[in-house]
Amino acid sequence: MVTLLIILLIIFCIAIGFFVLIQNPKGGGLATGGSGSNMFGVQRTGDVLEKGTWVLLTLIVVVSLAITTVGKSGNGSTGTGSKIDEQINKAATPTILGGGAPAPSTTTPAATPKTGDSTKK
């Protein structure tokens, strides 16, 4: 379902790109008339392109929201099941070298004063 929605989104994006490129920003484009008259309904072409752009924009927003909704509800909290997700969710357990023997003590014994120190006077 998500794949179908993504394909529709790509088609709508390409179509809106064509609609925008066909239009001229100052009312020209396909809406240019010979002597400024509305011969052959040229003004209607501009209206159709403008309305088509708004319709495609609305469809892009709706399909984008549908992809988000379907994507979140389809996966839920179970994850995507990919190997990357498994490695992220897997708890790292530290192992002690030597097969479970207790780790050697890292504390050093306190220095004991020497009783026969002859350097002090």
XYZ file of all heavy atoms in Angstrom:
849
model
N 0.825 -1.195 0.000
C 0.000 0.000 0.000
C 0.868 1.257 0.000
O 0.563 2.212 -0.699
C -0.919 -0.052 1.231
C -1.841 1.112 1.347
S -3.042 1.064 0.021
C -4.101 2.383 0.479
N 1.926 1.204 0.816
C 2.808 2.365 0.877
C 3.507 2.565 -0.464
O 3.679 3.698 -0.915
C 3.833 2.186 2.022
C 4.827 3.312 2.032
C 3.122 2.116 3.361
N 3.869 1.477 -1.113
C 4.538 1.570 -2.408
C 3.628 2.240 -3.447
O 4.079 3.091 -4.219
C 4.951 0.174 -2.899
O 5.708 -0.466 -1.878
C 5.760 0.250 -4.163
N 2.360 1.875 -3.442
C 1.410 2.492 -4.369
C 1.287 3.991 -4.102
O 1.269 4.803 -5.038
C 0.045 1.821 -4.244
C -1.091 2.448 -5.047
C -0.847 2.256 -6.535
C -2.422 1.880 -4.626
N 1.214 4.363 -2.830
C 1.100 5.782 -2.489
C 2.355 6.557 -2.875
O 2.269 7.704 -3.333
C 0.811 5.934 -0.996
C -0.579 5.482 -0.531
C -0.672 5.533 0.988
C -1.663 6.315 -1.169
N 3.510 5.939 -2.729
C 4.759 6.612 -3.114
C 4.822 6.804 -4.633
O 5.243 7.852 -5.123
C 5.975 5.828 -2.589
C 6.039 5.934 -1.065
C 7.269 6.328 -3.215
C 7.104 5.083 -0.418
N 4.364 5.804 -5.381
C 4.335 5.928 -6.844
C 3.380 7.048 -7.258
O 3.701 7.862 -8.138
C 3.941 4.582 -7.495
C 5.073 3.567 -7.297
C 3.617 4.754 -8.973
C 4.719 2.163 -7.703
N 2.203 7.112 -6.615
C 1.269 8.207 -6.907
C 1.873 9.559 -6.568
O 1.708 10.531 -7.322
C -0.032 8.012 -6.119
C -1.000 6.961 -6.642
C -2.169 6.796 -5.677
C -1.501 7.347 -8.017
N 2.585 9.631 -5.458
C 3.215 10.893 -5.062
C 4.242 11.339 -6.094
O 4.299 12.515 -6.459
C 3.866 10.742 -3.690
C 4.520 11.980 -3.109
C 3.474 13.040 -2.813
C 5.294 11.636 -1.861
N 5.026 10.414 -6.598
C 6.030 10.747 -7.614
C 5.348 11.237 -8.901
O 5.781 12.223 -9.507
C 6.945 9.535 -7.886
C 7.815 9.262 -6.661
C 7.805 9.761 -9.125
C 8.593 7.975 -6.727
N 4.263 10.567 -9.292
C 3.538 10.979 -10.501
C 2.962 12.390 -10.322
O 3.059 13.240 -11.220
C 2.429 9.960 -10.846
C 3.065 8.640 -11.303
C 1.476 10.508 -11.903
C 2.075 7.504 -11.455
N 2.372 12.650 -9.145
C 1.800 13.980 -8.892
C 2.888 15.054 -8.866
O 2.673 16.171 -9.347
C 1.012 13.999 -7.584
C -0.259 13.177 -7.623
C -0.768 12.610 -6.461
C -0.953 12.961 -8.799
C -1.928 11.867 -6.488
C -2.120 12.212 -8.833
C -2.611 11.665 -7.666
N 4.041 14.728 -8.330
C 5.139 15.707 -8.289
C 5.642 16.037 -9.691
O 5.913 17.203 -10.003
C 6.282 15.179 -7.422
S 5.921 15.184 -5.663
N 5.761 15.029 -10.528
C 6.186 15.279 -11.914
C 5.140 16.112 -12.645
O 5.478 17.061 -13.374
C 6.455 13.939 -12.637
C 7.695 13.261 -12.034
C 6.624 14.145 -14.140
C 7.918 11.845 -12.516
N 3.865 15.790 -12.429
C 2.795 16.534 -13.095
C 2.767 17.997 -12.648
O 2.603 18.897 -13.478
C 1.449 15.863 -12.817
N 2.937 18.246 -11.354
C 2.920 19.635 -10.890
C 4.143 20.381 -11.414
O 4.078 21.581 -11.693
C 2.804 19.740 -9.352
C 2.335 21.144 -8.965
C 4.095 19.422 -8.656
C 1.941 21.292 -7.517
N 5.250 19.677 -11.591
C 6.423 20.310 -12.197
C 6.140 20.772 -13.617
O 6.499 21.890 -14.000
N 5.464 19.921 -14.397
C 5.101 20.311 -15.756
C 4.103 21.465 -15.762
O 4.226 22.396 -16.552
C 4.518 19.130 -16.531
C 5.556 18.125 -16.961
C 5.318 16.770 -16.811
C 6.762 18.524 -17.514
C 6.274 15.840 -17.203
C 7.711 17.605 -17.913
C 7.467 16.251 -17.753
N 3.129 21.409 -14.867
C 2.131 22.487 -14.803
C 2.780 23.819 -14.470
O 2.429 24.848 -15.039
C 1.052 22.156 -13.764
C -0.105 21.381 -14.307
C 0.076 20.174 -14.947
C -1.394 21.859 -14.174
C -0.981 19.447 -15.448
C -2.480 21.149 -14.676
C -2.270 19.937 -15.318
N 3.726 23.799 -13.562
C 4.389 25.050 -13.168
C 5.303 25.547 -14.286
O 5.374 26.746 -14.559
C 5.173 24.854 -11.852
C 6.059 26.036 -11.542
C 4.200 24.626 -10.696
N 6.006 24.637 -14.951
C 6.904 25.062 -16.023
C 6.149 25.596 -17.236
O 6.660 26.449 -17.963
C 7.810 23.901 -16.433
C 8.893 23.523 -15.422
C 9.636 22.274 -15.887
C 9.859 24.670 -15.220
N 4.939 25.101 -17.481
C 4.160 25.567 -18.625
C 3.681 26.998 -18.397
O 3.617 27.798 -19.320
C 2.956 24.629 -18.869
C 3.444 23.299 -19.431
C 1.947 25.256 -19.812
C 2.359 22.253 -19.528
N 3.383 27.321 -17.146
C 2.852 28.651 -16.843
C 3.950 29.703 -16.914
O 5.086 29.463 -16.561
C 2.238 28.670 -15.443
C 1.047 27.768 -15.291
C 0.536 27.752 -13.867
O 0.856 28.621 -13.075
N -0.266 26.754 -13.555
N 3.578 30.887 -17.351
C 4.467 32.028 -17.339
C 4.108 32.861 -16.113
O 2.940 33.097 -15.857
C 4.285 32.842 -18.621
C 5.390 33.851 -18.812
O 6.136 34.157 -17.895
N 5.479 34.361 -20.040
N 5.090 33.335 -15.352
C 4.760 34.022 -14.107
C 3.928 35.287 -14.266
O 3.277 35.710 -13.333
C 6.125 34.359 -13.507
C 7.118 34.127 -14.558
C 6.508 33.230 -15.575
N 3.915 35.911 -15.444
C 3.147 37.152 -15.619
C 1.950 36.939 -16.529
O 1.547 37.827 -17.266
C 4.046 38.257 -16.162
C 5.138 38.617 -15.188
C 5.854 39.846 -15.601
C 6.888 40.159 -14.524
N 7.558 41.400 -14.755
N 1.379 35.758 -16.486
C 0.166 35.511 -17.259
C 0.428 35.075 -18.677
O -0.494 34.953 -19.458
N 1.682 34.797 -19.033
C 2.003 34.370 -20.392
C 1.906 32.857 -20.497
O 0.928 32.257 -20.117
N 2.959 32.256 -20.956
C 2.961 30.805 -21.119
C 2.003 30.383 -22.206
O 1.975 30.973 -23.289
N 1.167 29.412 -21.955
C 0.162 29.002 -22.927
C -0.986 29.989 -23.008
O -1.817 29.912 -23.899
C -0.389 27.617 -22.561
C 0.558 26.449 -22.750
C -0.132 25.162 -22.351
C 1.020 26.349 -24.188
N -1.035 30.926 -22.063
C -2.146 31.874 -22.031
C -1.844 33.143 -22.826
O -2.490 34.149 -22.643
C -2.470 32.236 -20.587
N -0.858 33.126 -23.716
C -0.532 34.333 -24.489
C -1.447 34.419 -25.694
O -1.573 33.486 -26.473
C 0.931 34.306 -24.962
O 1.154 33.111 -25.696
C 1.882 34.412 -23.808
N -2.074 35.541 -25.847
C -2.942 35.770 -26.998
C -2.204 36.611 -28.023
O -1.238 37.303 -27.702
N -2.649 36.606 -29.259
C -1.991 37.346 -30.318
C -1.968 38.841 -30.068
O -0.941 39.465 -29.960
N -3.127 39.462 -29.957
C -3.179 40.908 -29.765
C -3.842 41.270 -28.444
O -4.483 42.306 -28.340
C -3.937 41.543 -30.932
O -5.263 41.036 -30.954
N -3.720 40.428 -27.473
C -4.301 40.706 -26.175
C -5.766 40.338 -26.093
O -6.435 40.651 -25.121
N -6.297 39.709 -27.126
C -7.702 39.311 -27.099
C -7.825 37.895 -26.543
O -6.842 37.179 -26.385
C -8.290 39.363 -28.511
O -7.671 38.389 -29.313
N -9.045 37.507 -26.266
C -9.305 36.170 -25.748
C -9.720 35.230 -26.872
O -10.638 34.431 -26.727
C -10.404 36.217 -24.679
C -9.907 36.812 -23.386
O -8.710 36.815 -23.129
N -10.821 37.322 -22.584
N -9.032 35.312 -27.991
C -9.362 34.489 -29.131
C -9.083 33.017 -28.821
O -8.073 32.688 -28.220
C -8.533 34.925 -30.344
C -8.861 34.173 -31.611
S -7.802 34.693 -32.959
C -8.547 36.241 -33.375
N -9.993 32.156 -29.205
C -9.902 30.706 -29.022
C -9.841 30.299 -27.548
O -9.335 29.241 -27.225
C -8.699 30.108 -29.760
C -8.703 30.397 -31.228
C -7.718 31.191 -31.792
C -9.702 29.889 -32.052
C -7.711 31.462 -33.137
C -9.700 30.159 -33.403
C -8.710 30.958 -33.964
N -10.310 31.128 -26.677
C -10.361 30.760 -25.264
C -9.005 30.624 -24.609
O -8.802 29.749 -23.787
N -8.075 31.468 -25.004
C -6.719 31.381 -24.461
C -6.700 31.703 -22.971
O -5.938 31.133 -22.218
C -5.769 32.299 -25.254
C -4.391 32.317 -24.645
C -5.699 31.854 -26.687
N -7.561 32.604 -22.529
C -7.604 32.945 -21.109
C -8.024 31.727 -20.279
O -7.581 31.552 -19.157
C -8.576 34.115 -20.874
C -8.617 34.616 -19.433
C -7.260 35.141 -18.970
O -6.520 35.746 -19.745
N -6.935 34.899 -17.719
N -8.837 30.875 -20.828
C -9.279 29.667 -20.134
C -8.106 28.722 -19.866
O -8.083 28.030 -18.874
C -10.343 28.938 -20.945
C -11.618 29.673 -21.079
C -12.583 29.087 -20.093
N -13.905 29.626 -20.366
C -14.648 30.145 -19.430
N -14.224 30.194 -18.200
N -15.834 30.609 -19.720
N -7.140 28.690 -20.773
C -5.981 27.817 -20.588
C -5.217 28.184 -19.325
O -4.821 27.323 -18.554
C -5.041 27.909 -21.809
O -5.778 27.620 -22.978
C -3.906 26.923 -21.685
N -5.043 29.467 -19.079
C -4.370 29.911 -17.871
C -5.135 29.529 -16.622
O -4.551 29.126 -15.619
N -6.469 29.648 -16.675
C -7.292 29.275 -15.527
C -7.198 27.774 -15.253
O -7.121 27.342 -14.104
C -8.747 29.663 -15.759
C -8.947 31.174 -15.770
O -8.067 31.890 -15.250
O -9.976 31.615 -16.306
N -7.207 26.971 -16.307
C -7.124 25.516 -16.149
C -5.777 25.131 -15.548
O -5.704 24.282 -14.642
C -7.347 24.809 -17.505
C -7.007 23.339 -17.413
C -8.774 24.996 -17.967
N -4.716 25.747 -16.032
C -3.392 25.431 -15.482
C -3.276 25.840 -14.024
O -2.686 25.124 -13.206
C -2.300 26.113 -16.319
C -2.080 25.551 -17.715
C -1.063 26.402 -18.461
C -1.603 24.116 -17.631
N -3.850 26.980 -13.675
C -3.787 27.432 -12.282
C -4.601 26.514 -11.374
O -4.128 26.107 -10.305
C -4.301 28.860 -12.172
C -4.181 29.415 -10.762
C -4.671 30.847 -10.659
O -4.896 31.486 -11.692
O -4.831 31.301 -9.515
N -5.790 26.156 -11.797
C -6.619 25.257 -10.993
C -5.994 23.866 -10.915
O -6.040 23.212 -9.871
C -8.036 25.185 -11.559
C -8.820 26.451 -11.313
C -10.209 26.359 -11.883
C -10.932 27.688 -11.679
N -12.260 27.707 -12.248
N -5.403 23.419 -12.014
C -4.730 22.119 -12.007
C -3.551 22.097 -11.046
O -3.299 21.094 -10.367
N -2.831 23.207 -10.964
C -1.709 23.304 -10.034
C -2.195 23.196 -8.599
O -1.605 22.476 -7.786
C -0.960 24.643 -10.237
O -0.533 24.731 -11.590
C 0.231 24.739 -9.313
N -3.287 23.877 -8.283
C -3.818 23.808 -6.917
C -4.351 22.418 -6.590
O -4.192 21.918 -5.471
C -4.912 24.861 -6.720
C -4.350 26.228 -6.521
C -4.343 27.255 -7.416
C -3.674 26.710 -5.357
N -3.705 28.348 -6.874
C -3.296 28.038 -5.608
C -3.348 26.152 -4.121
C -2.614 28.814 -4.683
C -2.678 26.924 -3.195
C -2.316 28.228 -3.474
N -4.992 21.777 -7.568
C -5.506 20.419 -7.341
C -4.348 19.450 -7.102
O -4.390 18.629 -6.179
C -6.389 19.965 -8.530
C -6.681 18.470 -8.458
C -7.682 20.761 -8.561
N -3.307 19.547 -7.914
C -2.154 18.667 -7.739
C -1.452 18.925 -6.412
O -0.998 17.991 -5.745
C -1.176 18.823 -8.904
C -1.607 18.163 -10.207
C -0.656 18.552 -11.335
C -1.636 16.654 -10.051
N -1.358 20.176 -6.021
C -0.758 20.506 -4.735
C -1.556 19.886 -3.597
O -0.985 19.303 -2.661
C -0.672 22.024 -4.562
C -0.126 22.510 -3.228
C 1.348 22.148 -3.106
C -0.323 23.991 -3.078
N -2.876 19.959 -3.670
C -3.724 19.346 -2.644
C -3.553 17.837 -2.625
O -3.476 17.223 -1.552
C -5.202 19.712 -2.913
O -5.321 21.131 -2.998
C -6.100 19.187 -1.817
N -3.483 17.223 -3.801
C -3.285 15.773 -3.871
C -1.943 15.359 -3.281
O -1.835 14.328 -2.610
C -3.396 15.295 -5.321
C -4.805 15.279 -5.914
C -4.740 14.941 -7.407
C -5.674 14.288 -5.180
N -0.903 16.148 -3.515
C 0.418 15.840 -2.955
C 0.378 15.879 -1.437
O 0.915 14.998 -0.756
C 1.478 16.802 -3.526
C 1.762 16.459 -4.984
C 2.762 16.756 -2.702
C 2.657 17.449 -5.695
N -0.306 16.877 -0.876
C -0.411 16.973 0.588
C -1.195 15.788 1.143
O -0.788 15.156 2.133
C -1.057 18.321 0.985
C -1.398 18.341 2.468
C -0.132 19.465 0.643
N -2.311 15.445 0.508
C -3.144 14.340 0.999
C -2.394 13.010 0.915
O -2.415 12.207 1.856
C -4.475 14.289 0.206
C -5.240 13.012 0.489
C -5.322 15.489 0.537
N -1.712 12.767 -0.197
C -0.976 11.509 -0.349
C 0.195 11.445 0.630
O 0.482 10.384 1.203
C -0.500 11.327 -1.816
C 0.455 10.161 -1.947
C -1.691 11.132 -2.730
N 0.854 12.569 0.873
C 1.949 12.586 1.843
C 1.447 12.247 3.243
O 2.078 11.469 3.974
C 2.633 13.947 1.857
O 3.203 14.217 0.609
N 0.318 12.820 3.621
C -0.261 12.497 4.930
C -0.713 11.043 4.994
O -0.583 10.386 6.030
C -1.429 13.433 5.224
C -1.053 14.894 5.486
C -2.306 15.754 5.614
C -0.195 15.017 6.723
N -1.231 10.519 3.887
C -1.648 9.114 3.862
C -0.448 8.190 4.012
O -0.524 7.170 4.716
C -2.393 8.812 2.562
N 0.671 8.516 3.375
C 1.880 7.699 3.507
C 2.345 7.690 4.962
O 2.702 6.646 5.506
C 2.992 8.214 2.575
C 2.651 7.920 1.120
C 4.337 7.590 2.930
C 3.586 8.568 0.125
N 2.310 8.850 5.599
C 2.726 8.930 6.998
C 1.800 8.112 7.886
O 2.261 7.369 8.755
C 2.731 10.398 7.459
O 3.569 11.146 6.584
C 3.216 10.526 8.874
N 0.504 8.223 7.665
C -0.464 7.501 8.490
C -0.340 5.997 8.291
O -0.317 5.235 9.265
C -1.894 7.959 8.153
O -1.966 9.374 8.300
C -2.904 7.304 9.056
N -0.278 5.553 7.060
C -0.180 4.120 6.775
C 1.147 3.568 7.290
O 1.206 2.472 7.843
C -0.348 3.848 5.267
C 0.002 2.420 4.912
C -1.761 4.168 4.837
N 2.211 4.340 7.126
C 3.521 3.889 7.589
C 3.582 3.723 9.090
O 4.155 2.763 9.599
N 2.977 4.635 9.834
C 3.000 4.543 11.294
C 2.071 3.461 11.805
O 2.396 2.739 12.730
C 2.624 5.888 11.916
C 3.730 6.888 11.870
C 3.385 8.117 12.665
C 4.566 9.064 12.676
N 4.307 10.231 13.525
N 0.887 3.330 11.240
C -0.065 2.337 11.731
C 0.324 0.924 11.302
O 0.059 -0.027 12.011
C -1.471 2.657 11.239
O -1.554 2.486 9.838
N 0.968 0.798 10.166
C 1.358 -0.528 9.702
C 2.483 -1.132 10.510
O 2.495 -2.314 10.808
N 3.451 -0.318 10.925
C 4.588 -0.827 11.668
C 4.327 -0.874 13.157
O 4.781 -1.759 13.838
C 5.831 0.029 11.393
C 6.331 -0.137 9.979
O 6.053 -1.139 9.353
N 7.055 0.847 9.487
N 3.615 0.093 13.674
C 3.352 0.129 15.105
C 4.642 0.243 15.893
O 5.576 0.907 15.493
N 4.691 -0.420 17.043
C 5.888 -0.365 17.876
C 6.763 -1.595 17.687
O 7.735 -1.773 18.394
C 5.488 -0.240 19.344
O 4.741 -1.377 19.723
N 6.397 -2.462 16.742
C 7.173 -3.677 16.547
C 8.429 -3.437 15.731
O 9.301 -4.275 15.697
C 6.330 -4.758 15.840
O 5.906 -4.242 14.570
C 5.121 -5.126 16.678
N 8.546 -2.319 15.083
C 9.728 -2.038 14.261
C 9.566 -2.618 12.877
O 8.586 -3.259 12.547
N 10.565 -2.402 12.055
C 10.492 -2.867 10.676
C 11.018 -4.280 10.515
O 10.814 -4.888 9.496
C 11.296 -1.922 9.760
O 12.654 -1.903 10.220
C 10.726 -0.531 9.782
N 11.709 -4.782 11.515
C 12.217 -6.129 11.439
C 13.496 -6.244 10.635
O 13.894 -7.334 10.265
N 14.152 -5.144 10.354
C 15.378 -5.205 9.588
C 16.538 -5.592 10.496
O 16.447 -5.563 11.723
C 15.664 -3.859 8.920
O 15.982 -2.898 9.898
N 17.627 -5.969 9.889
C 18.808 -6.371 10.659
C 19.372 -5.214 11.462
O 19.896 -5.400 12.555
C 19.876 -6.933 9.719
C 19.490 -8.258 9.102
C 20.596 -8.798 8.223
C 20.178 -10.116 7.599
N 21.229 -10.664 6.748
N 19.245 -4.013 10.923
C 19.749 -2.838 11.641
C 18.953 -2.631 12.922
O 19.524 -2.377 13.979
C 19.686 -1.595 10.739
C 20.631 -1.764 9.556
C 20.020 -0.342 11.522
C 20.535 -0.683 8.521
N 17.617 -2.757 12.833
C 16.787 -2.603 14.027
C 17.099 -3.682 15.061
O 17.096 -3.425 16.262
C 15.306 -2.651 13.662
C 14.835 -1.389 12.972
O 15.482 -0.340 13.172
O 13.835 -1.451 12.244
N 17.357 -4.905 14.594
C 17.688 -5.977 15.529
C 18.993 -5.679 16.265
O 19.109 -5.924 17.466
C 17.799 -7.312 14.789
C 16.469 -7.826 14.272
C 16.627 -9.068 13.415
O 17.741 -9.636 13.378
O 15.647 -9.470 12.792
N 19.961 -5.151 15.549
C 21.234 -4.838 16.192
C 21.105 -3.665 17.153
O 21.768 -3.627 18.178
C 22.304 -4.537 15.142
C 22.740 -5.769 14.380
C 23.821 -5.459 13.362
O 24.190 -4.312 13.179
N 24.327 -6.494 12.704
N 20.266 -2.708 16.828
C 20.074 -1.568 17.725
C 19.364 -2.014 18.999
O 19.730 -1.606 20.106
C 19.281 -0.454 17.010
C 20.147 0.173 15.923
C 18.806 0.604 18.001
C 19.411 1.155 15.052
N 18.345 -2.860 18.854
C 17.567 -3.292 20.009
C 18.294 -4.334 20.850
O 17.934 -4.552 22.004
C 16.212 -3.844 19.558
C 15.344 -2.760 18.953
O 15.467 -1.600 19.323
N 14.483 -3.134 18.040
N 19.262 -4.996 20.282
C 19.989 -6.036 20.997
C 20.860 -5.381 22.061
O 21.629 -4.471 21.793
C 20.859 -6.806 19.999
C 21.608 -7.966 20.575
C 22.363 -8.651 19.439
C 23.419 -9.568 19.974
N 24.174 -10.177 18.894
N 20.733 -5.883 23.301
C 21.498 -5.288 24.400
C 22.937 -5.777 24.333
O 23.201 -6.960 24.169
C 20.879 -5.678 25.726
N 23.850 -4.860 24.489
C 25.269 -5.213 24.483
C 25.644 -5.665 25.885
O 25.507 -4.930 26.853
C 26.101 -4.015 24.066
N 26.095 -6.893 26.006
C 26.497 -7.414 27.311
C 28.013 -7.515 27.339
O 28.612 -8.214 26.521
C 25.879 -8.805 27.555
O 26.248 -9.668 26.473
C 24.369 -8.725 27.612
N 28.646 -6.839 28.275
C 30.103 -6.920 28.352
C 30.533 -8.292 28.863
O 29.898 -8.874 29.728
C 30.476 -5.820 29.348
C 29.244 -5.604 30.150
C 28.097 -5.945 29.265
N 31.581 -8.809 28.276
C 32.094 -10.111 28.703
C 33.459 -9.923 29.346
O 34.221 -9.032 28.987
C 32.239 -11.073 27.510
O 33.111 -10.463 26.552
C 30.889 -11.335 26.859
N 33.726 -10.799 30.313
C 35.014 -10.758 31.001
C 35.924 -11.763 30.317
O 35.538 -12.910 30.081
C 34.837 -11.098 32.488
C 33.913 -10.067 33.134
C 36.171 -11.150 33.184
C 33.557 -10.399 34.559
N 37.109 -11.325 29.992
C 38.057 -12.229 29.353
C 38.453 -13.313 30.341
O 38.622 -13.080 31.524
C 39.290 -11.456 28.889
C 39.032 -10.399 27.810
C 40.320 -9.644 27.515
C 38.508 -11.043 26.557
N 38.624 -14.503 29.894
C 39.046 -15.605 30.741
C 37.892 -16.510 31.125
O 38.018 -17.352 31.998
N 36.756 -16.353 30.521
C 35.660 -17.283 30.720
C 34.954 -17.170 32.054
O 34.643 -18.176 32.675
N 34.735 -16.023 32.557
C 33.920 -15.864 33.742
C 34.711 -15.784 35.039
O 34.140 -15.739 36.105
N 36.001 -15.808 34.971
C 36.796 -15.658 36.188
C 36.671 -14.230 36.674
O 36.495 -13.314 35.884
C 38.255 -15.998 35.902
N 36.729 -14.022 37.980
C 36.611 -12.646 38.469
C 37.752 -11.786 37.946
O 38.871 -12.251 37.765
C 36.664 -12.798 39.984
C 37.176 -14.160 40.250
C 36.908 -14.990 39.043
N 37.421 -10.555 37.704
C 38.407 -9.622 37.177
C 39.481 -9.360 38.231
O 39.190 -9.336 39.427
C 37.731 -8.329 36.785
N 40.724 -9.216 37.816
C 41.787 -8.945 38.785
C 41.562 -7.591 39.454
O 41.026 -6.675 38.861
C 43.062 -8.951 37.946
C 42.610 -8.738 36.548
C 41.214 -9.287 36.463
N 41.993 -7.516 40.696
C 41.813 -6.294 41.456
C 42.722 -5.208 40.894
O 43.896 -5.432 40.644
C 42.145 -6.558 42.929
O 42.099 -5.365 43.652
N 42.179 -4.052 40.757
C 42.964 -2.948 40.212
C 43.433 -2.005 41.307
O 44.100 -1.034 41.031
C 42.131 -2.153 39.193
O 40.955 -1.681 39.841
C 41.769 -3.010 37.999
N 43.065 -2.297 42.543
C 43.501 -1.422 43.631
C 44.899 -1.826 44.074
O 45.248 -2.996 44.113
C 42.539 -1.514 44.826
O 42.512 -2.870 45.285
C 41.149 -1.074 44.433
N 45.703 -0.867 44.418
C 47.056 -1.138 44.900
C 47.074 -1.027 46.423
O 46.372 -0.191 46.992
C 48.063 -0.133 44.294
O 47.641 1.185 44.647
C 48.116 -0.260 42.792
N 47.835 -1.862 47.069
C 47.885 -1.768 48.536
C 48.558 -0.469 48.958
O 49.401 0.078 48.257
C 48.705 -2.990 48.952
C 49.450 -3.400 47.734
C 48.646 -2.934 46.549
N 48.164 -0.010 50.130
C 48.730 1.242 50.639
C 50.209 1.046 50.954
O 50.649 -0.015 51.389
C 47.996 1.674 51.894
N 50.970 2.064 50.703
C 52.414 1.978 50.953
C 52.647 1.922 52.464
O 52.122 2.726 53.220
C 53.114 3.173 50.350
N 53.435 0.939 52.879
C 53.743 0.801 54.307
C 55.040 1.518 54.592
O 56.016 1.409 53.844
C 53.877 -0.690 54.690
O 54.872 -1.286 53.864
C 52.552 -1.417 54.494
N 55.074 2.273 55.668
C 56.320 2.979 55.990
C 57.386 1.994 56.448
O 57.114 1.022 57.130
C 55.922 3.928 57.113
C 54.672 3.339 57.689
C 54.010 2.562 56.605
N 58.600 2.254 56.057
C 59.721 1.411 56.441
C 60.170 1.821 57.841
O 60.261 2.999 58.164
C 60.870 1.546 55.443
C 60.511 1.062 54.048
C 61.681 1.201 53.115
C 61.313 0.748 51.714
N 62.398 0.921 50.781
N 60.472 0.835 58.650
C 60.884 1.151 60.024
C 62.349 1.510 60.114
O 62.740 2.285 60.965
C 60.605 -0.065 60.929
O 61.269 -1.198 60.393
C 59.126 -0.302 61.040
N 63.148 1.002 59.284
C 64.578 1.257 59.396
C 65.062 2.249 58.374
O 66.103 2.041 57.748
N 64.383 3.364 58.184
C 64.758 4.366 57.216
C 65.886 5.219 57.812
O 65.720 5.889 58.804
C 63.551 5.230 56.844
C 63.805 6.079 55.622
O 64.854 5.937 54.985
O 62.917 6.896 55.304
N 67.025 5.157 57.183
C 68.191 5.875 57.733
C 68.379 7.242 57.116
O 69.264 7.977 57.503
C 69.447 5.029 57.536
O 69.685 4.867 56.142
N 67.563 7.614 56.125
C 67.763 8.905 55.482
C 67.171 10.046 56.281
O 67.532 11.182 56.121
C 67.152 8.913 54.075
O 65.768 8.620 54.179
C 67.861 7.916 53.191
N 66.231 9.767 57.167
C 65.621 10.831 57.969
C 66.462 11.061 59.208
O 66.891 10.125 59.868
C 64.208 10.448 58.363
C 63.256 10.453 57.187
C 61.868 10.203 57.668
C 60.903 10.160 56.501
N 59.564 9.882 56.902
N 66.694 12.267 59.587
C 67.468 12.570 60.778
C 66.723 13.461 61.689
O 65.974 14.275 61.490
C 68.785 13.229 60.408
C 69.655 12.287 59.672
C 70.987 12.914 59.505
C 71.890 11.982 58.754
N 73.171 12.471 58.540
